[in-house]
Amino acid sequence: MRIPFNKPHLSGRELEYITEVFENSTAGNGIYTKKCHTFFSEKFKFKKSLLTTSCTDALEMTALLIDIQPGDEVIIPSYTFVSSALAYVRQGAKIVFADSRADQPNIDENKIEALITSKTKAIVVVHYAGVACEMDTIMDIAKRHNIYVIEDAAQAINSYYKGRPLGSIGDCGAYSFHETKNIQCGEGGLLIINNDKFLDRAEILWEKGTNRAAFYRGEVDKYGWVDTGSSFLPSDITAAFLFSQLEMLDEITKVRLSIWDTYYDRLKRFQDSGLIKLPLIPEYSSNNAHMFYLLFKNTEKRQEFIDALKEKECLSVFHYLSLHKSEFYKSKHDGRKLENCDYYADCLVRLPMYFKLYGEELEYLLEQVENILESM
Ligand SMILES: *Cc1c(COP(=O)(O)O)cnc(C)c1O
């Protein structure tokens, strides 16, 4: 039986909603874009959210909003996707990479303060696997040093820190709806604005530097070029696709959680015997089951596992390579060793996780995983 790593979920109503868009207008900021925005303000009480063409785009908007200038420093975990750093690098920032925690891949909140200098403009946190970073500590550091906090919540829809939705705690947050995420529309993203001072400007950057949104609300009698910006907004076709998935958000989360719990229950004995470690969810965080991973003792053991599982036609995959060692950034990195980050880069492997992973498929996969771990 072939088990892929991911099968992008389809709600079944995508085409129906897209057809409705065709009968109106397919341009951005149309009926379904508004429906998505309303969904986020109702479900998560976001002050303002703007659909974007990707999470990368939403992060680029945050770099413009916090006005990153050449020479500014931004603290970012090294164990993350390129996009978390890219937006700020494009504006000329120097990236100061932070290490992960020893017990899970999120940024180590206790190692941030030592990295702050007079040039530090922002801390970008990444809620890896939808698990919350220790936000109280991070927000306190940021407040004392007067720096911004951006949440890369690409994987974190429907997950919470002490009851607060991820993405709603820092100055801005960003979601991804890439087809590998819990909720998807192929390519898509969301910018969440929490800091009042960015509310109006975000809308202008989003609409190519114009005050078009204010014009359509009747707040100004003509619209024109008032600021920098880009075409960050997606077509309403994308929004219609996305809305059909958002309607299923709680159901999707529930199904993924049951897969996650099954993995955990069945594989816990291998953690108890010391062969592997399973994901740790701190008590301050909820779990949206974006990912289920195993941690091996070294990279050879991990490769042995991936290869053995592949022989049974099941795909498991490792994840990020440390950004501070990347071809693009290693010569610009200050040389600090980031041991925990390297450990996750070398030893973490992700198991298949998708909405339709159940019944025979899940059972077959679990049996293969158990057999391989028993033989290791
Ligand atoms: C997926 C992902 C991104 C990029 O999202 P896009 O929508 O593909 O731009 C950024 N950061 C993290 C942590 C991600 O997982």
Side-chain angles (χ1 to χ4, degrees), residues 53-57 59 80-81 83-84 126 152 154-155 175-178 180-181 187-189 290 319-320:
T53 55
S54 65
C55 177
T56 305
D57 253 9
L59 291 168
T80 183
F81 189 58
S83 297
S84 317
V126 180
D152 179 342
Q155 307 171 6
Y175 281 172
S176 171
F177 306 117
H178 185 264
T180 52
K181 306 300 197 286
E187 298 271 6
H290 174 61
H319 211 183
Y320 305 129

Side-chain angles (χ1 to χ4, degrees), residues 1-5 7 255-256 258-260 262-263 351-366:
M1 200 181 300
R2 254 198 92 250
I3 312 285
F5 172 66
K7 270 189 204 168
V255 167
R256 293 180 75 107
S258 83
I259 301 167
W260 200 100
T262 307
Y263 272 141
L351 297 181
M353 174 61 84
Y354 49 87
F355 189 75
K356 295 240 162 96
L357 182 60
Y358 62 88
E360 264 179 60
E361 273 186 45
L362 182 58
E363 190 52 37
Y364 172 79
L365 170 65
L366 274 162

Side-chain angles (χ1 to χ4, degrees), residues 191-350:
L191 173 68
I192 303 151
I193 302 118
N194 308 313
N195 184 333
D196 288 340
K197 99 180 188 200
F198 298 143
L199 292 173
D200 294 336
R201 187 159 185 246
E203 214 171 53
I204 291 166
L205 300 180
W206 189 63
E207 287 255 38
K208 302 126 185 132
T210 73
N211 53 356
R212 186 167 176 271
F215 172 73
Y216 277 105
R217 281 196 303 268
E219 293 164 13
V220 290
D221 54 15
K222 55 182 187 301
Y223 82 87
W225 187 11
V226 294
D227 202 337
T228 185
S230 189
S231 185
F232 288 115
L233 74 175
S235 137
D236 218 46
I237 298 171
T238 298
F241 189 127
L242 181 67
F243 188 72
S244 81
Q245 303 243 330
L246 290 173
E247 286 183 319
M248 291 184 71
L249 175 60
D250 285 328
E251 187 187 341
I252 290 170
T253 311
K254 206 170 122 201
V255 167
R256 293 180 75 107
L257 272 170
S258 83
I259 301 167
W260 200 100
D261 289 341
T262 307
Y263 272 141
Y264 198 93
D265 293 344
R266 294 271 292 261
L267 303 179
K268 192 171 171 301
R269 64 189 168 106
F270 298 103
Q271 173 164 263
D272 297 341
S273 73
L275 179 68
I276 52 168
K277 281 200 239 165
L278 301 180
L280 178 95
I281 313 284
E283 89 290 345
Y284 52 74
S285 178
S286 69
N287 181 14
N288 69 352
H290 174 61
M291 183 193 299
F292 194 91
Y293 62 79
L294 311 178
L295 286 160
F296 283 89
K297 288 214 168 82
N298 55 49
T299 198
E300 291 75 25
K301 284 270 178 218
R302 178 179 74 175
Q303 196 57 45
E304 190 185 322
F305 174 83
I306 293 173
D307 291 343
L309 199 57
K310 197 170 173 196
E311 247 173 54
K312 302 292 177 190
E313 297 192 299
C314 302
L315 278 191
S316 62
V317 289
F318 55 82
H319 211 183
Y320 305 129
L321 304 172
S322 305
L323 290 183
H324 70 287
K325 291 183 167 173
S326 63
E327 188 182 321
F328 186 67
Y329 220 83
K330 66 175 181 245
S331 62
K332 302 181 206 57
H333 177 60
D334 54 31
R336 278 173 302 116
K337 285 203 162 39
L338 303 172
E339 284 170 4
N340 293 334
C341 168
D342 290 344
Y343 162 64
Y344 298 110
D346 289 343
C347 303
L348 183 148
V349 61
R350 296 174 290 161

Side-chain angles (χ1 to χ4, degrees), residues 95-154:
I95 304 302
V96 177
F97 285 113
D99 206 358
S100 297
R101 290 172 56 119
D103 59 355
Q104 42 116 333
N106 278 341
I107 193 167
D108 186 339
E109 66 278 3
N110 296 314
K111 291 190 188 148
I112 294 175
E113 198 150 16
L115 303 175
I116 293 176
T117 72
S118 59
K119 293 184 178 154
T120 308
K121 191 94 176 245
I123 306 167
V124 179
V125 298
V126 180
H127 304 297
Y128 185 76
V131 175
C133 296
E134 215 323 1
M135 292 308 289
D136 281 348
T137 307
I138 293 164
M139 295 309 291
D140 175 63
I141 295 169
K143 203 169 165 199
R144 281 189 285 106
H145 293 273
N146 197 23
I147 51 189
Y148 295 114
V149 173
I150 308 295
E151 296 176 74
D152 179 342

